[in-house]
Amino acid sequence: MASAATFQSRLHGASTKLGIPGPYPGRVVEVHHPNSIASGLYQAEPVRQMMHKGMTELTGAPAWVDAWRVFAEPGDVVGIKVCPVGGKLLSSDALVLHQIIDGLKQAGVKPSDIVVFNRYRQETFAAGIDKWIPEGVRFTWACERYEPVQLAMDGYDPDHYIDLPLVKPGQDQRDDHMRRSYLVQIVTKQINKMINLPVLKHHQSAGVTIALKNMSHGLVNNVSRSHTTPTLNSCGTFIPAVVNHPLIRQKAILHICDGVKASYHGGPGARPKYVWEHQTMYFATDPVALDKIGLKAIDEKRVASGMATVALSKPDNDSHYLNCQVEHIEIAGALGLGEFDDKKIDLKRFKLA
C-alpha cells in the first residue's frame, strides 16, 4: 500500500481514467471474512473491515477516505445500481450499501447527490431496499414493474440506445423501436458517475449475473428479447453490446460484487437450496476481470456440489436454458471492456480474521 505522499501523486492520474475498464484494468481484489454472516444476517464490523480492505487494496490508498477520493469528489452526482432480483434472500445487504454511501460522503459527495436506483420500483420494494435508504439520499427507479414486452418509454431516454437486429417473435424487425434498448434517464440525465453493486449469482441464460449483466439488463429497456425462450437466447452478444454503450462505459466507475451470500444454480432468482454463504466480496474497476473471477468461484462451488461447470451444464428442473452463455464475458473483453485473459488478471486475495 502506498504512503500518503506517494498516493497523492498518483491520485490525479487514476481519477482521469475513470470509466470502464478504469484505472486498474485486470485488477480484482477478493476479500473473505468467515464472520461476515451469522444466522443468515450480515455482520456490521466484518463487513466494514471487508469494505475498507477491498477499497484500499484496489486503489493502493493509505486510508478509506483516500480510496474514495479516487472515484468521487464534491459536485459529483453518483448513482448506486443495486440488484434486487434475488429478493430478500439474495440482494446485496443494507450494510454494504451504507458503507458505499459513507465512502462517497467521506469523499465530499452530498447525500442529496447520491442516487440509489434500480429499473423496477416493485422489485426494489419487494427486496426491502426502500427501507435501507439513509435520510437525505435519493432513491428512484425507471418504471413501476417488469413487463414482458418492455417497449414503454417511461423513464427511458429516446436519444440514447443500443440498436441490435434482434426482436421477439412476431415483432417487426424493421421497426426501430423494437430493435432498440433505451438507456434509463437516471444514467443519461441524472448522474455523472455510477457504482455497480451486483450480487454473485448463477443465471440460466447468461450463465452468471455479476457486474456485466447487472448493467446490461439493469440500465436499458427491451431486454427480454435477449433470452426469449430456453433456445432463443442471445445473452452472449447482447450483454457486451449494451455495456459497450459510450455513456455506460464513461459513467460506470466502480464495481463492488457482494458475494457474502451467493447462488450457484437456478438463477437469477434465489432458490434456497442453491444459496450459499460465500463470505466474500470483490472489488474492481474492470467488470470483465471481476466476472471472470466470479464465474470461477461459482464453478468451484458447483463442482464441489457434484455439478458440471456453468458452461457445460445441461437443462434441468431448476435451470431451463439449453446453453448458459458465459461467453458474454470473453466477448466483453474482446470489445475492450476489460481483461479476460487469466495471464492479465491480477487477483489479490485477502482473508480477514
Side-chain angles (χ1 to χ4, degrees), residues 37-111:
I37 188 167
S39 301
L41 299 176
Y42 285 49
Q43 301 299 301
E45 180 55 23
V47 168
R48 186 195 70 79
Q49 292 174 16
M50 295 168 81
M51 290 291 295
H52 281 239
K53 185 67 172 177
M55 289 298 295
T56 53
E57 292 293 342
L58 175 65
T59 59
W64 173 248
V65 63
D66 299 303
W68 282 99
R69 285 174 178 160
V70 172
F71 300 103
E73 61 186 4
D76 281 334
V77 181
V78 184
I80 304 173
K81 169 61 179 76
V82 294
C83 180
V85 179
K88 292 183 178 180
L89 178 60
L90 194 60
S91 294
S92 187
D93 195 77
L95 293 175
V96 177
L97 179 63
H98 290 170
Q99 284 290 311
I100 295 172
I101 292 171
D102 175 73
L104 291 171
K105 290 165 65 176
Q106 293 276 348
V109 180
K110 296 186 297 184

Side-chain angles (χ1 to χ4, degrees), residues 83-307:
C83 180
V85 179
K88 292 183 178 180
L89 178 60
L90 194 60
S91 294
S92 187
D93 195 77
L95 293 175
V96 177
L97 179 63
H98 290 170
Q99 284 290 311
I100 295 172
I101 292 171
D102 175 73
L104 291 171
K105 290 165 65 176
Q106 293 276 348
V109 180
K110 296 186 297 184
S112 60
D113 286 337
I114 301 172
V115 185
V116 178
F117 75 96
N118 183 54
R119 281 184 64 200
Y120 307 125
R121 188 197 71 83
Q122 285 191 358
E123 180 182 69
T124 316
F125 275 64
I129 294 176
D130 58 299
K131 299 179 176 62
W132 306 350
I133 311 303
E135 184 176 356
V137 171
R138 291 158 57 190
F139 176 47
T140 190
W141 47 88
C143 57
E144 176 63 19
R145 64 176 66 84
Y146 170 86
E147 294 179 353
V149 178
Q150 303 184 336
L151 292 174
M153 289 300 293
D154 291 348
Y156 300 95
D157 192 328
D159 296 324
H160 297 282
Y161 53 84
I162 298 90
D163 192 330
L164 294 171
L166 172 67
V167 299
K168 298 183 74 170
Q171 293 180 339
D172 184 355
Q173 65 175 332
R174 296 168 298 180
D175 186 330
D176 290 345
H177 190 67
M178 293 179 181
R179 290 199 322 268
R180 292 175 178 174
S181 290
Y182 296 86
L183 272 65
V184 294
Q185 292 182 18
I186 299 162
V187 169
T188 64
K189 295 183 177 181
Q190 297 184 28
I191 64 174
N192 70 306
K193 293 177 178 177
M194 186 187 79
I195 296 170
N196 187 22
L197 182 55
V199 178
L200 186 70
K201 295 189 300 178
H202 172 264
H203 193 281
Q204 294 182 42
S205 59
V208 294
T209 171
I210 314 176
L212 290 165
K213 191 174 181 299
N214 196 43
M215 293 185 287
S216 67
H217 286 63
L219 301 179
V220 300
N221 72 351
N222 197 17
V223 301
S224 61
R225 63 188 175 130
S226 69
H227 46 20
T228 305
T229 73
T231 52
L232 184 55
N233 181 19
S234 60
C235 277
T237 53
F238 184 88
I239 293 170
V242 173
V243 179
N244 196 42
H245 188 284
L247 283 182
I248 295 176
R249 291 191 68 149
Q250 171 192 333
K251 295 189 180 186
I253 59 169
L254 176 64
H255 312 273
I256 300 175
C257 174
D258 183 352
V260 174
K261 287 195 294 185
S263 75
Y264 61 95
H265 194 58
R271 297 176 185 266
K273 63 181 177 179
Y274 301 123
V275 173
W276 93 100
E277 294 182 354
H278 185 44
Q279 304 168 339
T280 304
M281 296 192 66
Y282 301 86
F283 303 78
T285 63
D286 179 338
V288 177
L290 193 160
D291 280 18
K292 182 74 176 293
I293 297 301
L295 169 61
K296 290 183 177 183
I298 290 172
D299 275 344
E300 287 174 5
K301 178 63 177 178
R302 289 175 63 90
V303 171
S305 302
M307 304 175 71

